[in-house]
């Protein structure tokens, strides 16, 4: 069993607002959501390619760089559209900064959810979050910016119950999430 706990170094990286190194640390622990987190915040496409090539193919769901790059890019689009729906109007540079603020909030909520998972002994593996836990903390973080919950990629359709959507889309980004809360 992998130790998925949030390390003091990871807390320090969040305090320093270093999303790239935070998600890289989580990636090295094979935290499922780190695949997209790192893809969003790594400095270059070559960095993401390297991690995929050198990483465990099972962890990457036997999907290559184009797939994970698309997942990261679509996440940025979803957040940007969500911010626009929330009324944010800014330049491209201002939008990038706002997306980064959202990303930092999501990372903090991820860390808190992992810690809560350990404390409450949720699911089958300590620190391994379920799709429901992941969508919940995204919805909470997004709400702080007025972003609608359907901006989260796992729960796109407001009229469809989230648990149905999570079952439909879970393998897109989290084939190895915990199975129960």
């Amino acid at each position: 069993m992998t130790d998925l706990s949030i390390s003091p170094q990871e807390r320090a990286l969040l305090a320093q607002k270093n999303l790239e190194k935070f998600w890289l640390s989580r990636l090295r622990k094979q935290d499922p959501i780190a695949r997209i987190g790192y893809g969003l915040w790594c400095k270059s496409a070559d960095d993401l390619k390297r991690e995929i090539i050198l990483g465990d193919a099972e962890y990457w769901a036997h999907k290559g760089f184009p797939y994970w790059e698309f997942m990261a890019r679509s996440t940025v689009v979803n957040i940007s559209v969500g911010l626009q729906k929330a009324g944010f109007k800014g330049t491209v540079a201002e939008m990038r900064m706002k997306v980064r603020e959202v990303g930092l909030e999501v990372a903090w909520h991820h860390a808190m959810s992992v810690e809560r998972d350990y404390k409450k002994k949720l699911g089958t593996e300590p620190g391994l979050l379920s799709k429901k836990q992941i969508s919940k903390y995204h919805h909470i973080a997004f709400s702080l910016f007025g972003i609608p919950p359907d901006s989260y990629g796992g729960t796109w359709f407001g009229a469809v119950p989230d648990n149905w959507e999570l079952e439909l889309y879970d393998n897109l980004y989290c084939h190895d999430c915990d199975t129960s809360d």
Side-chain angles (χ1 to χ4, degrees):
M1 206 183 288
T2 305
D3 178 9
L4 291 170
S5 63
I6 302 297
S7 70
Q9 295 82 8
E10 289 168 343
R11 276 190 217 88
L13 290 167
L14 284 175
Q16 296 161 11
K17 301 180 180 182
N18 192 329
L19 290 169
E20 178 185 26
K21 288 185 180 176
F22 170 78
W23 286 116
L24 180 59
S25 178
R26 301 303 299 165
L27 190 75
R28 299 274 165 82
K29 292 180 176 183
Q30 294 194 338
D31 182 334
I33 206 68
R35 291 179 288 250
I36 295 175
Y38 184 70
L40 282 168
W41 304 112
C42 61
K43 284 187 178 76
S44 74
D46 287 338
D47 290 344
L48 180 59
K49 279 182 194 174
R50 182 188 65 246
E51 292 303 321
I52 294 168
I53 290 167
L54 297 176
D56 176 16
E58 182 73 26
Y59 172 70
W60 291 99
H62 301 281
K63 295 179 173 130
F65 169 75
Y67 179 85
W68 292 105
E69 182 190 37
F70 171 77
M71 294 300 287
R73 287 180 188 268
S74 65
T75 300
V76 170
V77 170
N78 289 346
I79 294 170
S80 298
V81 169
L83 284 166
Q84 290 171 345
K85 285 181 182 177
F88 181 78
K89 293 175 181 27
T91 65
V92 172
E94 290 167 334
M95 179 62 81
R96 284 185 186 136
M97 293 302 295
K98 188 57 81 173
V99 167
R100 184 166 178 71
E101 285 178 43
V102 173
L104 187 60
E105 194 66 40
V106 167
W108 275 109
H109 280 274
H110 178 78
M112 289 186 292
S113 294
V114 168
E115 289 173 342
R116 187 177 313 109
D117 194 76
Y118 269 98
K119 286 178 189 164
K120 293 190 175 188
K121 300 180 186 333
L122 302 172
T124 58
E125 185 176 334
L128 183 64
L129 302 179
S130 69
K131 297 167 295 268
K132 185 176 178 183
Q133 288 171 298
I134 294 166
S135 67
K136 183 178 178 179
Y137 78 70
H138 275 83
H139 293 172
I140 292 167
F142 285 6
S143 72
L144 299 173
F145 296 87
I147 299 171
D150 64 357
S151 297
Y152 174 64
T155 55
W156 286 315
F157 305 112
V160 177
D162 287 352
N163 59 336
W164 291 3
E165 286 185 273
L166 293 171
E167 285 301 314
L168 289 170
Y169 297 116
D170 66 335
N171 284 330
L172 292 176
Y173 66 95
C174 205
H175 65 283
D176 49 357
C177 281
D178 207 342
T179 55
S180 64
D181 292 322

